[in-house]
Amino acid sequence: MLRTSLAFAVAAATALVTAPVQAHAAGFHKYVALGDSYTAVGDLLQPAGGPLGCFRSSVNFPHDLAARLHVDLVDASCGGAVTADMTGPQSVIGGTNPAQFDSLTPDTDLVTVGIGGNDIGFGDIVTTCGELSLDVFGNPCQQHFTVNGTDQLVARIDALAPTIDAVIQGIHQRAPHATVVVVGYLPVLPASGGCWPSMPVAIGDVPWLHGIEQKLNNMLSAQAAANGALSVNPNGVTGRDACQWPWTRWVEPVIPAQPAAPVHPNPAGQNAVAAMIENQLGS
């Protein structure tokens, strides 16, 4: 995901009107992919152009999906993106990624958007939970993010919902004939247990963090449904998180076994997301 998570994980590794849209996979001509690093990043050894700091890969789910559907792709995604980067330029290492909505045109007929993780502070969450995880058997990160009995991450997700609503509405306005698919985030952690120190999260924090990601995905799906869009919600995916064997997992741990970003989908995970989207499109 994400604006600060890439920097943290690399360091750790080295020490408004909507119209209902019908799902129809056949006949797409122009596909635009919007999103953060969970969209952009795949195989880091196979870049796809754009500013270096976007870490955009030719092995990510947009490229995989475009190949599956035999459709032209404009990949506007960029690592570290937040919802504000849909309508404004994003400064990154090596240049500036234009406002992602600039890629949308009236003839765009397929759009995927994967955004929101950075808005709730994914990088800060990863960093904080890692720093606190020496209390291996406790839940120090959950305690840190709970203030006066209120889970601050749940509050952030709730507060983000209207912004996601506006993002989807903005896509419909700029690409009024497009099928829009809101894409959630592959599970980073299992439902319980974890794998400290491969993923530096205290055992007691694992189910809580897993639940936070599920709440984010559910919110994204709910906003999609409310705004005439489809959604891919990976909450049902099990046995593919960063704690699994290298040949099984779809998300890499802090020290990747593949040329993928730490705490991000690997090429197999990206291809799996492409398959989920294709299935949702009804092909």
Side-chain angles (χ1 to χ4, degrees):
M1 285 175 231
L2 302 146
R3 190 179 302 270
T4 58
S5 68
L6 279 173
F8 163 74
V10 170
T14 59
L16 251 93
V17 175
T18 68
V21 178
Q22 298 298 317
H24 184 52
F28 291 123
H29 300 288
K30 182 181 178 182
Y31 164 33
V32 175
L34 313 172
D36 57 30
S37 58
Y38 258 61
T39 299
V41 179
D43 186 335
L44 292 175
L45 300 181
Q46 300 189 54
L52 176 63
C54 283
F55 297 99
R56 192 181 298 147
S57 171
S58 62
V59 182
N60 60 14
F61 80 70
H63 284 81
D64 290 341
L65 181 63
R68 286 169 176 266
L69 300 180
H70 306 288
V71 64
D72 291 334
L73 167 67
V74 177
D75 188 355
S77 63
C78 187
V82 295
T83 51
D85 298 318
M86 299 298 102
T87 54
Q90 178 186 356
S91 295
V92 296
I93 297 170
T96 300
N97 198 50
Q100 294 191 29
F101 277 3
D102 288 356
S103 295
L104 299 172
T105 55
D107 63 336
T108 300
D109 54 8
L110 176 62
V111 180
T112 60
V113 55
I115 201 72
N118 291 323
D119 290 80
I120 69 165
F122 181 84
D124 175 54
I125 297 165
V126 170
T127 302
T128 301
C129 290
E131 291 173 345
L132 296 174
S133 70
L134 291 179
D135 178 10
V136 179
F137 298 103
N139 63 334
C141 203
Q142 182 178 15
Q143 294 180 45
H144 174 85
F145 283 107
T146 301
V147 179
N148 295 325
T150 299
D151 188 318
Q152 297 301 300
L153 300 190
V154 172
R156 291 177 191 179
I157 292 169
D158 291 342
L160 179 61
T163 304
I164 298 298
D165 177 281
V167 167
I168 302 170
Q169 296 255 5
I171 295 169
H172 283 312
Q173 290 167 0
R174 293 164 176 81
H177 306 295
T179 296
V180 181
V181 185
V182 178
V183 183
Y185 296 89
L186 286 174
V188 175
L189 293 167
S192 63
C195 54
W196 190 95
S198 294
M199 283 297 297
V201 176
I203 292 173
D205 280 325
V206 169
W208 167 70
L209 277 176
H210 180 78
I212 290 296
E213 188 175 7
Q214 289 195 318
K215 291 180 187 299
L216 174 61
N217 284 338
N218 287 340
M219 181 274 285
L220 294 172
S221 291
Q223 293 307 305
N227 287 279
L230 302 173
S231 65
V232 167
N233 185 335
N235 281 355
V237 173
T238 59
R240 300 289 186 173
D241 56 83
C243 288
Q244 307 307 315
W245 294 107
W247 53 85
T248 301
R249 63 189 178 226
W250 287 348
V251 177
E252 291 298 305
V254 166
I255 301 178
Q258 300 187 41
V263 201
H264 280 72
N266 57 32
Q270 291 285 27
N271 191 52
V273 172
M276 294 177 201
I277 298 169
E278 184 182 27
N279 182 67
Q280 188 72 322
L281 290 171
S283 62

